Every structure is written in C-alpha cells, then in structure tokens.
C-alpha cells in the first residue's frame, strides 16, 4: 500500500478579501502553497504529491516550482467546490494508484503543516481499515447564533473536535464515498455518511487553515519562529 498526497488548490479564497486566491498570497517570501508543498514533498513515506488547480488558473505558471520536480504533479481539473476538486483529482489519479492505496487529502491553505504532523497521522492510522484525520479538541464554549446576532443556544463542547487535514483514506473507499455525497466540506464527512467511523489523531493549533486576513500573519509568525 502506497501513500499519495492530494492537495485541492482550486479555491478563490473570497473570505480573504482581495483578488488573489489565498494559495498564491505572499507568505515568508513565497506563495502560500509553496510551504504546504515543501512539507509534503519532504515526507519520504509519501510516494507523490498531486495538486489540483482550477482549469483556468493563471497564476501557477508565474512561479518557479522546480525545487519540487519529480515529487509533484499538477492536475488542472478543479471544480466548483472543494469536494468536487477532490473528486476530479481522485479520478485523474485512477491509472496510477491501487484501490487500497492511502490518499492524504490536504488543504493548500494549511501551510504550517509539519512532517511531524504527517508522520503522526500515518503512524497512528497504521493499518486501520477506515482511516482518519488530524484534529484538535475544541477549547472554547460554542454559541449558535440567530439572524439578529443574539445567542440562540450553547453547544456543549465536551467531546467536540475541530477537523483539520490531512485526512487519510483508501482511494476507492474515498472516491465512492465522495461521489455519493458531494455536498460535504471534508472527506471524513463522506466516509461517515457511508457508515464508517474515521479515527481522530490529535494535532495542534499551528496546523491552521488560512481563511481570514489575520491568519496570514499568524502563519507568518509560526513559520518564522520554527526557522529559528
Ligand atoms: O475555502 P476553503 O478554505 O474551505 O478551501 C479549502 C481548500 O480547498 C483550499 O486549499 C482551496 O483552494 C480548496 N478548494 C478547491 N476547490 C474549490 C474550493 C476550495 O480546491 N472549488
């Protein structure tokens, strides 16, 4: 059984404001996704890294990715949603992977991922028949909000975890599950809808997804402090 990484990077990143999709925003002197790719291409347990771009992405070719050559392939088959981008990416991989190979799906926007996070996931999932995902226990008390901005209720945080990526599942099981419920926002939800229970592997808050402008500054700080 081999391990392959699949990185959906076909989003527009509208919550960041500006026009540049967040995967290309400058971060520590490189496009944001460069840092994501650096980590995943350095994990030798991973056979190959595949990045899914929008078919009309004009920005990829403006950057130099040669440092990753031989470890990275580009699939220009992204869709209208994250799940569609993952489905199209999985279909494009078909001839090069076995049904029971592991696919690690990782958000391009989680650029502070470390090789340690990836190896913890791989080692703790081991030969689990279902697979699993990195996640962190919820620390804050959660409020459900109503239309006027007032609290409609409190959601007990006990037993709640925030899902991160990578999310690691067998190729065939994952593709079948996503094709059945393409409206999900992560791979684990699709596996759950198929009746399976993915395993949670504890990560930490540094594996954040850059979503809002402040996240870019946090990511910059995390990367800078790791280098010291
Ligand atoms: O928008 P969000 O932060 O949920 O996106 C998570 C990841 O999914 C990002 O890496 C983004 O580029 C990717 N994505 C995609 N295709 C879409 C929407 C998002 O590959 N249509």
């Amino acid at each position: 059984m081999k391990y392959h990484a699949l990185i959906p990077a076909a989003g527009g990143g509208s919550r960041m404001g500006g026009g540049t999709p967040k995967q290309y925003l400058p971060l520590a002197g490189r496009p944001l996704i460069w840092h994501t790719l650096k980590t995943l291409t350095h994990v030798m347990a991973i056979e190959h890294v595949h990045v899914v771009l929008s078919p009309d992405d004009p920005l990829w070719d403006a950057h130099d990715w040669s440092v990753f050559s031989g470890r990275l392939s580009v699939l220009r088959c992204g869709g209208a949603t994250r799940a569609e981008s993952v489905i199209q990416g999985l279909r494009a991989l078909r001839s090069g992977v076995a049904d029971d190979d592991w696919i690690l799906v990782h958000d391009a926007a989680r650029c502070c991922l470390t090789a340690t996070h990836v190896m913890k996931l791989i080692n703790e999932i081991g030969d689990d028949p279902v697979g699993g995902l990195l996640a962190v226990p919820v620390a804050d008390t959660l409020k459900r909000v109503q239309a006027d901005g007032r609290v409609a209720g409190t959601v007990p945080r006990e037993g709640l975890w925030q899902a991160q990526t990578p999310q690691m599942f067998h190729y065939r099981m994952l593709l079948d599950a996503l094709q059945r419920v393409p409206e999900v926002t992560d791979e684990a939800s699709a596996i759950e809808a198929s009746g399976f229970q993915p395993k949670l592997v504890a990560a930490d808050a540094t594996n954040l997804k850059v979503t809002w402008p402040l996240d870019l500054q946090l990511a910059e700080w995390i990367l800078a402090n790791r280098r010291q």
Side-chain angles (χ1 to χ4, degrees):
M1 258 182 292
K2 293 176 177 167
Y3 300 90
H4 308 264
L6 184 70
I7 307 179
S14 54
R15 284 172 290 185
M16 287 295 292
T20 306
K22 62 184 170 184
Q23 55 271 27
Y24 296 114
L25 289 174
L27 174 61
R30 308 273 189 187
L32 185 146
I33 190 177
W34 190 93
H35 303 278
T36 315
L37 296 173
K38 180 171 177 238
T39 295
L40 285 164
T41 54
H42 274 67
V43 175
M44 283 303 140
I46 294 178
E47 189 79 8
H48 202 75
V49 178
H50 308 264
V51 58
V52 180
L53 304 181
S54 165
D56 54 3
D57 181 319
L59 296 174
W60 178 265
D61 292 334
H63 300 280
D64 178 11
W65 309 100
S66 56
V67 66
F68 305 125
S69 64
R71 298 279 296 142
L72 176 69
S73 297
V74 175
L75 306 168
R76 291 182 178 269
C77 59
T81 64
R82 180 186 181 284
E84 276 182 34
S85 296
V86 174
I87 290 171
Q88 293 302 341
L90 290 171
R91 287 179 181 151
L93 293 190
R94 183 68 204 106
S95 56
V97 298
D99 280 353
D100 61 353
D101 277 355
W102 289 107
I103 308 294
L104 284 81
V105 181
H106 182 67
D107 293 325
R110 291 190 189 272
C111 51
C112 299
L113 179 76
T114 63
T116 305
H117 288 131
V118 179
M119 288 316 298
K120 185 167 193 267
L121 178 68
I122 287 176
N123 290 331
E124 289 194 26
I125 296 299
D127 58 2
D128 189 274
V130 177
L133 60 148
L134 292 182
V136 286
V138 168
D140 297 318
T141 300
L142 299 176
K143 303 292 181 189
R144 192 177 303 285
V145 69
Q146 59 189 35
D148 64 359
R150 290 186 175 277
V151 173
T154 297
V155 182
R157 69 175 175 219
E158 202 189 341
L160 288 185
W161 288 54
Q162 283 176 263
Q164 298 183 340
T165 67
Q167 302 204 354
M168 173 176 153
F169 298 102
H170 292 293
Y171 176 82
R172 176 50 54 189
M173 188 192 275
L174 178 58
L175 180 54
D176 287 350
L178 282 168
Q179 288 179 146
R180 249 177 256 130
V181 286
E183 65 277 11
V184 292
T185 52
D186 74 345
E187 291 61 52
S189 307
I191 297 289
E192 293 156 43
S194 296
F196 300 106
Q197 292 186 293
K199 193 169 170 179
L200 293 172
V201 174
D204 61 70
T206 63
N207 185 25
L208 80 169
K209 184 172 70 168
V210 173
T211 306
W212 310 103
L214 176 63
D215 297 332
L216 203 57
Q217 292 172 41
L218 286 173
E220 182 114 33
W221 187 90
I222 291 166
L223 293 177
N225 281 276
R226 269 194 197 136
R227 278 198 297 271
Q228 284 168 9

